Amino acid sequence: MKKLVILGGGYGGLTIAHHLLEKDIPQDTVILMIDRLPFQGLKTEYYALASGTISERDVRVGYPVHPHLQMKYGEVTAIDLENKQIRMAGQDPLSYDWLVVGLGCVDKYHDIPGAEEFTCSLQTMSATRRTYQKVQDVRPFGQITVVGGGLSGVEIAAELRESRPDLSIRILDRGPSILSAFPEKLQGFVREWFLEHDVEMRSHVALTRVEDGALYDGGMPIVTDVTVWTAGIQPSPVVQAMPVEKDAMGRVKLDEYHRIPAYPEVFVVGDCASLPFSPSAQAAEGQGKQIALILRALWKNETPRLGLIKLKGVLGSLGKKSGFGVMGNRTVMVGKVPRALKSGVLWKSKRHFG
């Protein structure tokens, strides 16, 4: 039997599996998906899980059941490209004929001393569980600090405000404004929402170190009870260790068919792939659809026909009743409508994959 191994059951890997399983797969081919967990965690909603406004069950999606799909659970420790083998903690190596690497990302701490040790993460389900516990254990009227004023930071700061109205919430960013990559109209709306809901914003903060209970902007201490880190991501350490060409962000450079040029049997999807846009669930799903087309064409000895991956836009939430979005050619939406659209996207994603 020939074997397609998919590392990671996230947005990209699961999209590939679903699209391949929708049609006939060659009888001599099996798909093996490897993940830590027996379900997909909807990572775009981890901010709500950490805040306590939804349960863990709300962010779980079961993997498909199919005769050509096998599941294996464990921790991938290395990829041996030369020998076509996957190494896993405490398990025998696995061979592959084709490989999809979709191992996602980890936090990037920018070499700030203490940042990894003394902050909370949203990058995995287990890390998010620990973050939830720490947040809920904060005493009444305590202080939570969110580091990073991008989409993830804004969403968790807003959700924490809704979950724990007794707490002091602040968000720090090294740039001039939260959501600095977004249009000014959108930035202004979110700033006004934060002011109205008593979320403190500090800009131009350059952290030099982090300690238990304090962050340092140069020599100035910023006292906190819990710190949530959303200040950047980088590819999985397993991908970082792969001896292949990468871009400035550490993502793997690929050919037009999403393959590593020197290893055309290996595809890379999602946060580990060097793409012309920022990492996102939407980008991973779009790339996953194309990889499924490419594999199907490969199995039929055909040449795949691919178009451009087109992203519809970005949606973000401010609690459960408000939100913001950028659609198409920088069309800004704010208020209840983008929040309702985001809820609809989540419902559709759970219904399709589940």
Side-chain angles (χ1 to χ4, degrees), residues 17-94:
H18 269 289
H19 279 264
L20 290 175
L21 296 173
E22 284 177 354
K23 298 181 180 179
D24 291 336
I25 293 176
Q27 290 300 312
D28 65 344
T29 301
V30 66
I31 300 173
L32 174 63
M33 181 178 286
I34 300 174
D35 200 89
R36 295 188 185 103
L37 300 173
F39 50 80
Q40 182 203 15
L42 296 175
K43 192 173 180 180
T44 57
E45 304 304 306
Y46 281 2
Y47 71 92
L49 178 60
S51 302
T53 57
I54 62 174
S55 71
E56 184 176 311
R57 186 174 181 179
D58 294 324
V59 295
R60 291 181 180 180
V61 174
Y63 291 126
V65 177
H66 192 281
H68 281 275
L69 177 66
Q70 299 176 3
M71 297 298 305
K72 190 173 185 65
Y73 306 110
E75 188 76 26
V76 175
T77 59
I79 300 170
D80 184 345
L81 295 170
E82 296 299 330
N83 294 303
K84 295 187 178 181
Q85 286 191 331
I86 306 301
R87 306 196 185 281
M88 299 180 66
Q91 301 186 46
D92 293 333
L94 295 169

Side-chain angles (χ1 to χ4, degrees), residues 138-144 164 166-169 224-226:
V138 174
R139 70 188 190 282
F141 311 109
Q143 176 73 60
I144 295 184
R164 291 288 306 270
D166 60 294
L167 296 178
S168 296
I169 310 293
T224 186
D225 291 298
V226 169

Side-chain angles (χ1 to χ4, degrees), residues 123-314:
Q123 293 303 327
T124 65
M125 178 72 82
S126 59
T128 303
R129 290 179 184 131
R130 294 191 293 270
T131 299
Y132 163 79
Q133 191 64 59
K134 283 203 166 187
V135 165
Q136 300 310 316
D137 285 347
V138 174
R139 70 188 190 282
F141 311 109
Q143 176 73 60
I144 295 184
T145 302
V146 177
V147 178
L151 180 61
S152 296
V154 164
E155 288 192 310
I156 192 168
E159 203 79 8
L160 285 168
R161 167 53 66 230
E162 187 167 283
S163 172
R164 291 288 306 270
D166 60 294
L167 296 178
S168 296
I169 310 293
R170 74 161 66 95
I171 184 167
L172 311 179
D173 196 76
R174 61 184 176 182
S177 170
I178 55 172
L179 298 175
S180 57
F182 288 77
E184 175 57 37
K185 177 183 176 181
L186 188 151
Q187 292 180 43
F189 177 82
V190 176
R191 285 195 299 266
E192 287 298 319
W193 192 95
F194 275 170
L195 289 171
E196 181 182 346
H197 292 83
D198 197 26
V199 176
E200 178 189 359
M201 294 168 283
R202 293 195 193 182
S203 57
H204 298 295
V205 175
L207 293 181
T208 53
R209 75 180 191 274
V210 180
E211 296 178 354
D212 187 14
L215 307 96
Y216 288 84
D217 181 9
M220 181 71 66
I222 302 171
V223 178
T224 186
D225 291 298
V226 169
T227 301
V228 181
W229 192 268
T230 67
I233 58 173
Q234 58 187 337
S236 158
V238 173
V239 173
Q240 292 181 41
M242 292 170 62
V244 296
E245 188 177 5
K246 303 183 181 79
D247 64 16
M249 296 177 63
R251 302 181 300 179
V252 179
K253 289 188 176 183
L254 306 172
D255 66 14
E256 67 271 28
Y257 295 126
H258 310 293
R259 304 174 302 186
I260 299 176
Y263 303 94
E265 70 280 3
V266 181
F267 301 82
V268 182
V269 66
D271 297 341
C272 299
S274 182
L275 300 174
F277 26 71
S278 299
S280 68
Q282 188 181 169
E285 289 174 353
Q287 193 189 8
K289 292 176 183 177
Q290 291 200 345
I291 292 174
L293 286 173
I294 293 163
L295 283 165
R296 192 171 295 284
L298 178 67
W299 293 337
K300 294 180 178 180
N301 293 317
E302 297 175 351
T303 301
R305 299 178 60 184
L306 304 177
L308 296 175
I309 296 175
K310 296 182 179 180
L311 305 184
K312 296 179 181 179
V314 178

